[in-house]
Amino acid sequence: MKHNENRIFPEELKELVSLIPEDRIAWHEPMAAHTSFRIGGPADALVTPASETELASLISFCSHSGCPYFILGRGTNLLVRDKGIRGVVIKIDQPLGNLQIEDQRVTVGAGMALGELSRQAGVRGLAGLEFAVGIPGSVGGAVCMNAGAYDGEMKNVIKEVRAIAENGEVLRLSAEQMQFGYRSSIMQNSKMVILEAVLELLPDDPAAIKQRMDDFTERREARQPLDLPSAGSVFKRPAGHYVGPMLQELGLKGFSVNDAQVSEKHAGFIVNRGQAKAADVLELIAIIQETVRNQYGVELIPEIKIIGED
């Protein structure tokens, strides 16, 4: 494979067209169009598989050709650097978002939106996912990072995960094998790709479930800067501290680097006021980390995933 400044050109990926219809391949696709931050340079190729077979073919192609690949969900917890992503971005979207509900057991594809799953379960009188109603990511992304809110986490409801390995083998992992931690799982340091999750929920009155969802939604809308692009909470919560109040105490609320700004509504968020670049966000993150380190002796670890070339 020939490279020019590590860039993989579409002609070197022409075999993709034999695996995936070309109308589902976007060449040099701006990642700003696929992230909630509305930031990010181009991917060499962005491909949306419509079936598990196509996904397996893509992973096999990338593995055997040495082409780097990145699995993208809804791009809600992601910052893509300004020069973009080399190789293939595989977008797991609604075609891989199947849903099957049998009694209290829910089998759901990785491409389904987590908030939609929460609502679908609620109207069927299944409780346990109310916390997820406002989380904007996909099921696959939520499982991978053990997403949570309002004292709920994905690990509390997951019984099993079905995933595809780099060699194409389909594996079933128990909740214990997933090694869930705070905003983490075994998937984050693995080449496995989540296909489905099996959840066990609890029966409850749909009206009571909806009331809890409405309460969480109201609290979220009141506290979070939903009117501007962001990637959610920027940092993991350090032991004994809350990031938002800590940054507010340091006078960082509203502080900005060009169009990247610490939200004036919730200091735990960085928002894009319109034309922010990844470099602006990264500089702002570094300033926040240094200020907190100097004042509190606390090391802030990003919760958002940062990928791509500077």
Side-chain angles (χ1 to χ4, degrees):
M1 185 173 290
K2 298 177 183 178
H3 291 269
N4 180 1
E5 296 180 344
N6 297 320
R7 187 168 187 82
I8 299 168
F9 288 91
E11 57 265 28
E12 295 174 305
L13 297 176
K14 61 184 179 182
E15 189 179 330
L16 285 176
V17 179
S18 68
L19 303 175
I20 304 290
E22 196 158 13
D23 63 353
R24 287 191 272 109
I25 303 174
W27 304 109
H28 303 304
E29 178 71 3
M31 290 303 295
H34 300 274
T35 66
S36 60
F37 236 148
R38 298 292 178 258
I39 292 172
D44 289 331
L46 185 142
V47 185
T48 306
S51 68
E52 290 185 9
T53 301
E54 288 187 352
L55 175 59
S57 296
L58 279 170
I59 292 172
S60 176
F61 163 73
C62 291
S63 298
H64 286 102
S65 67
C67 173
Y69 65 94
F70 175 75
I71 302 298
L72 175 72
R74 296 172 68 85
T76 56
N77 195 49
L78 186 66
L79 176 65
V80 178
R81 293 186 177 96
D82 296 315
K83 288 188 179 177
I85 301 173
R86 305 290 66 81
V88 178
V89 173
I90 302 173
K91 186 169 184 176
I92 309 298
D93 211 341
Q94 190 52 47
L96 294 171
N98 55 289
L99 177 64
Q100 182 180 356
I101 299 177
E102 296 178 1
D103 298 323
Q104 296 164 220
R105 189 178 180 89
V106 176
T107 302
V108 59
M112 188 172 195
L114 184 63
E116 177 63 19
L117 172 63
S118 174
R119 288 184 286 272
Q120 290 279 355
V123 297
R124 290 169 169 81
L126 294 174
L129 279 173
E130 292 92 326
F131 74 90
V133 68
I135 297 176
S138 66
V139 168
V143 173
C144 182
M145 69 169 291
N146 186 27
Y150 304 113
D151 298 322
E153 291 181 291
M154 293 301 294
K155 71 175 185 179
N156 298 336
V157 295
I158 289 176
K159 291 299 178 185
E160 183 180 87
V161 172
R162 195 162 66 88
I164 186 168
E166 196 171 14
N167 64 3
E169 182 183 2
V170 175
L171 306 172
R172 293 183 180 273
L173 293 88
S174 67
E176 291 75 21
Q177 289 173 316
M178 286 292 293
Q179 298 179 24
F180 288 117
Y182 174 64
R183 301 296 178 266
S184 69
S185 79
I186 195 173
M187 292 293 173
Q188 292 175 342
N189 295 307
S190 167
K191 284 288 189 179
M192 290 184 288
V193 179
I194 296 169
L195 297 172
E196 287 183 331
V198 178
L199 285 58
E200 190 75 25
L201 302 179
L202 298 172
D204 199 355
D205 175 25
I209 295 172
K210 185 177 185 301
Q211 185 173 8
R212 291 194 291 272
M213 287 183 177
D214 289 346
D215 176 54
F216 289 151
T217 299
E218 185 177 330
R219 288 160 64 180
R220 179 172 179 265
E221 290 176 349
R223 299 175 185 176
Q224 297 184 12
L226 304 180
D227 57 328
L228 290 170
S230 81
S233 298
V234 176
F235 301 103
K236 296 180 180 181
R237 180 166 58 84
H241 298 273
Y242 288 94
V243 175
M246 191 160 50
L247 301 193
Q248 188 168 347
E249 288 171 12
L250 292 172
L252 290 172
K253 200 172 190 179
F255 183 81
S256 64
V257 174
N258 297 322
D259 266 3
Q261 182 186 52
V262 177
S263 170
E264 295 177 329
K265 191 170 188 179
H266 189 311
F269 288 64
I270 290 175
V271 295
N272 176 3
R273 293 189 300 180
Q275 302 297 321
K277 301 294 185 183
D280 301 326
V281 176
L282 292 170
E283 183 179 344
L284 184 52
I285 286 173
I287 290 169
I288 292 167
Q289 288 174 316
E290 182 179 11
T291 304
V292 169
R293 187 185 303 118
N294 291 341
Q295 294 296 319
Y296 290 99
V298 171
E299 194 67 39
L300 290 182
I301 306 298
E303 180 174 311
I304 60 175
K305 188 175 182 66
I306 302 166
I307 65 167
E309 292 185 342
D310 290 317

